[in-house]
């Protein structure tokens, strides 16, 4: 609709708008600066705000009916913060990747979010993230090279069971507690994390395997391995010169 348009910077909708859908690539590479999405919108097509370098502000109502954040929706845009509405069930691959100004992500209380796709927030400037309890999947490279990311908090009774490989690599996380249903720490999950000091697992952790190079070139100092752990793959802690305390549950 407005892809490649460089003659406007703002879209306004009436307060009683009944708009339900915004099509694929609607504002792709346009000059849009801000937009307030009507709460009635359930779907926004992939790449709709991709490569909108002047884009600074997107607003969703607290009671927004939006059901998904589609693939590449905001990739390479200039947004600085975003609110994820409560009915969003998945954040697609590369949805916020390379959002070089994105520092704040707020996820609604009672969120229905279940999946965070591959590279969803990679190369952004987010500083902390709260993962709602219904999230079962975090994809590969999801937070890769989020160099300002220092804190990841999982909601109590987290249902997470899959952490994609390289998902937290090259972030600034210092401490993290892995939810109990995660069974694998995949390849290079915590690679090259220079500020990582401690990774913790709950006593009832279901973790069975730590994969090849899971902690390679990290600064981890202390690790307590859960009782159900069955396998440590070759080089799982390669080049972790500061790892001096390994405890067995």
């Amino acid at each position: 609709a407005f892809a490649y348009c460089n003659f406007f910077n703002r879209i306004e909708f009436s307060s009683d708008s009944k708009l339900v859908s915004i099509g694929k690539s609607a504002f792709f590479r346009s000059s849009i600066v801000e937009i307030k999405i009507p709460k009635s919108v359930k779907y926004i097509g992939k790449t709709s705000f991709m490569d909108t370098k002047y884009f600074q502000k997107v607003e969703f109502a607290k009671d927004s009916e939006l059901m998904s954040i589609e693939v590449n929706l905001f990739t390479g845009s200039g947004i600085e913060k975003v609110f994820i509405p409560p009915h969003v069930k998945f954040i697609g691959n590369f949805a916020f990747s390379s959002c070089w100004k994105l520092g704040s992500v707020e996820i609604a209380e009672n969120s229905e979010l279940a999946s965070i796709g591959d590279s969803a927030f990679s190369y952004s400037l987010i500083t902390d993230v709260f993962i709602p309890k219904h999230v079962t999947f975090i994809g590969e490279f999801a937070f890769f090279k989020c160099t300002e990311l220092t804190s990841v908090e999982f909601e109590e009774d987290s249902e997470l069971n899959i952490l994609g490989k390289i998902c937290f690599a090259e972030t600034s996380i210092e401490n993290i507690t892995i939810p109990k249903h995660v069974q694998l720490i995949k390849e290079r999950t915590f690679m090259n994390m220079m500020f990582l000091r401690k990774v913790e697992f709950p006593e009832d952790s279901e973790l069975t395997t730590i994969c090849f190079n899971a902690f390679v070139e990290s600064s981890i100092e202390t690790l307590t391995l859960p009782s159900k752990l069955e396998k440590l793959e070759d080089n799982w802690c390669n080049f972790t010169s500061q790892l001096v305390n390994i405890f067995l549950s």
Side-chain angles (χ1 to χ4, degrees):
F2 298 96
Y4 299 101
C5 290
N6 292 307
F7 57 84
F8 75 103
N9 56 31
R10 185 175 181 180
I11 296 286
E12 291 189 21
F13 299 94
S14 64
S15 59
D16 59 348
S17 172
K18 304 301 182 184
L19 185 69
V20 173
S21 176
I22 297 174
K24 176 182 175 182
S25 303
F27 300 97
F28 179 77
R29 291 188 179 176
S30 71
S31 59
I32 189 169
V33 173
E34 63 180 88
I35 190 171
K36 185 173 182 178
I37 306 294
K39 73 173 186 177
S40 56
V41 171
K42 297 178 183 291
Y43 173 80
I44 304 174
K46 63 180 68 174
T47 72
S48 282
F49 298 97
M50 184 176 179
D51 289 345
T52 48
K53 62 182 180 179
Y54 302 110
F55 194 33
Q56 297 176 5
K57 186 176 181 180
V58 58
E59 286 188 54
F60 294 104
K62 296 294 183 181
D63 57 349
S64 168
E65 298 175 18
L66 189 70
M67 301 185 70
S68 63
I69 302 289
E70 292 291 326
V71 172
N72 290 114
L73 186 57
F74 296 102
T75 307
S77 73
I79 58 171
E80 299 174 2
K81 62 181 180 179
V82 67
F83 168 71
I84 308 297
H87 301 302
V88 169
K89 292 180 171 58
F90 71 86
I91 297 173
N93 297 347
F94 299 94
F96 297 98
S97 182
S98 301
C99 290
W100 74 97
K101 292 184 179 180
L102 180 61
S104 174
V105 177
E106 179 188 355
I107 299 179
E109 294 182 9
N110 301 316
S111 172
E112 298 172 15
L113 187 65
S115 174
I116 298 174
D118 296 350
S119 295
F121 294 96
S122 60
Y123 297 96
S124 71
L125 293 180
I126 59 173
T127 58
D128 59 85
V129 64
F130 174 75
I131 309 295
K133 67 179 180 180
H134 297 305
V135 173
T136 61
F137 173 87
I138 297 178
E140 298 178 2
F141 296 88
F143 298 95
F144 178 60
K145 279 191 177 290
C146 291
T147 56
E148 301 299 313
L149 180 61
T150 60
S151 175
V152 175
E153 180 185 356
F154 295 96
E155 188 173 2
E156 188 176 355
D157 297 323
S158 171
E159 298 167 14
L160 184 72
N161 56 50
I162 296 176
L163 274 175
K165 64 184 180 181
I166 318 181
C167 66
F168 294 119
E170 300 194 33
T171 63
S172 297
I173 296 168
E174 299 174 6
N175 302 294
I176 189 169
T177 299
I178 305 300
K180 72 175 185 177
H181 296 302
V182 173
Q183 297 183 1
L184 290 175
I185 301 296
K186 293 189 176 183
E187 297 92 335
R188 294 167 286 172
T189 296
F190 300 103
M191 177 182 70
N192 198 23
M193 293 178 63
M194 295 296 99
F195 298 95
L196 184 65
R197 298 292 181 262
K198 184 186 292 185
V199 177
E200 296 183 293
F201 302 92
E203 289 186 3
D204 56 351
S205 171
E206 298 170 11
L207 187 74
T208 62
T209 304
I210 298 179
C211 295
F212 173 79
N213 275 346
F215 294 95
V216 63
E217 295 185 331
S218 75
S219 297
I220 188 170
E221 298 173 350
T222 301
L223 187 62
T224 299
L225 301 177
S227 59
K228 293 184 180 179
L229 186 70
E230 298 174 356
K231 185 176 182 180
L232 294 170
E233 292 190 354
D234 291 345
N235 300 316
W236 68 277
C237 61
N238 218 13
F239 303 112
T240 53
S241 59
Q242 298 184 57
L243 181 55
V244 295
N245 294 306
I246 299 178
F247 301 102
L248 301 177
S249 297

